[in-house]
Short mmCIF file of all heavy atoms in Angstrom, two decimals:
data_model
loop_
_atom_site.label_atom_id
_atom_site.label_comp_id
_atom_site.label_asym_id
_atom_site.label_seq_id
_atom_site.Cartn_x
_atom_site.Cartn_y
_atom_site.Cartn_z
N PRO A 1626 74.60 108.48 106.97
CA PRO A 1626 75.94 108.65 106.53
C PRO A 1626 76.24 107.78 105.20
O PRO A 1626 77.09 108.15 104.45
CB PRO A 1626 76.84 108.10 107.69
CG PRO A 1626 75.93 107.40 108.51
CD PRO A 1626 74.64 107.97 108.43
N LEU A 1627 75.42 106.71 105.09
CA LEU A 1627 75.65 105.90 103.88
C LEU A 1627 74.48 106.07 102.85
O LEU A 1627 74.28 105.41 101.99
CB LEU A 1627 75.68 104.44 104.22
CG LEU A 1627 76.88 104.08 105.12
CD1 LEU A 1627 76.79 102.52 105.41
CD2 LEU A 1627 78.17 104.32 104.47
N VAL A 1640 75.59 104.12 97.56
CA VAL A 1640 76.11 103.23 96.48
C VAL A 1640 75.25 103.38 95.25
O VAL A 1640 75.67 103.45 94.07
CB VAL A 1640 76.20 101.78 96.91
CG1 VAL A 1640 76.91 100.91 95.82
CG2 VAL A 1640 76.96 101.66 98.25
N ARG A 1880 85.78 93.52 99.42
CA ARG A 1880 85.93 94.59 100.50
C ARG A 1880 86.15 95.87 99.72
O ARG A 1880 85.64 96.92 100.00
CB ARG A 1880 87.19 94.28 101.38
CG ARG A 1880 87.18 95.06 102.60
CD ARG A 1880 88.10 94.51 103.56
NE ARG A 1880 89.37 94.53 103.20
CZ ARG A 1880 90.28 93.45 103.07
NH1 ARG A 1880 89.75 92.23 103.24
NH2 ARG A 1880 91.60 93.57 102.71
N HIS A 1883 82.68 96.43 97.49
CA HIS A 1883 81.28 96.45 98.10
C HIS A 1883 81.44 96.63 99.67
O HIS A 1883 80.52 96.54 100.34
CB HIS A 1883 80.51 95.20 97.81
CG HIS A 1883 80.16 95.10 96.40
ND1 HIS A 1883 79.89 96.18 95.62
CD2 HIS A 1883 80.03 93.97 95.59
CE1 HIS A 1883 79.62 95.80 94.42
NE2 HIS A 1883 79.72 94.45 94.34
N ASN A 1884 82.68 96.89 100.11
CA ASN A 1884 82.83 96.95 101.55
C ASN A 1884 82.23 95.89 102.47
O ASN A 1884 81.72 95.90 103.47
CB ASN A 1884 82.16 98.28 102.08
CG ASN A 1884 82.69 98.74 103.46
OD1 ASN A 1884 83.84 98.38 103.80
ND2 ASN A 1884 82.00 99.49 104.26
N ALA A 1885 82.29 94.63 101.70
CA ALA A 1885 81.76 93.44 102.34
C ALA A 1885 82.89 92.77 103.21
O ALA A 1885 84.01 92.70 102.76
CB ALA A 1885 81.36 92.42 101.27
N THR A 1886 82.45 92.33 104.37
CA THR A 1886 83.51 91.71 105.28
C THR A 1886 83.56 90.36 105.27
O THR A 1886 84.64 89.69 105.56
CB THR A 1886 83.19 92.15 106.83
OG1 THR A 1886 81.83 91.77 107.04
CG2 THR A 1886 83.34 93.61 107.05
C1 LIG B 747 82.65 99.70 105.44
O1 LIG B 747 82.14 98.93 106.57
C2 LIG B 747 82.60 99.27 107.84
C3 LIG B 747 82.05 98.35 108.85
O2 LIG B 747 81.81 97.08 108.34
C4 LIG B 747 82.10 100.66 108.13
O3 LIG B 747 82.64 101.07 109.36
C5 LIG B 747 82.73 101.72 107.14
O4 LIG B 747 82.16 102.94 107.38
C6 LIG B 747 82.28 101.25 105.69
N1 LIG B 747 82.87 102.02 104.70
C7 LIG B 747 82.16 102.46 103.63
C8 LIG B 747 82.89 103.41 102.84
O5 LIG B 747 81.03 102.23 103.44
#
Side-chain angles (χ1 to χ4, degrees):
L1627 297 178
V1640 185
R1880 198 163 66 241
H1883 296 327
N1884 199 25
T1886 51

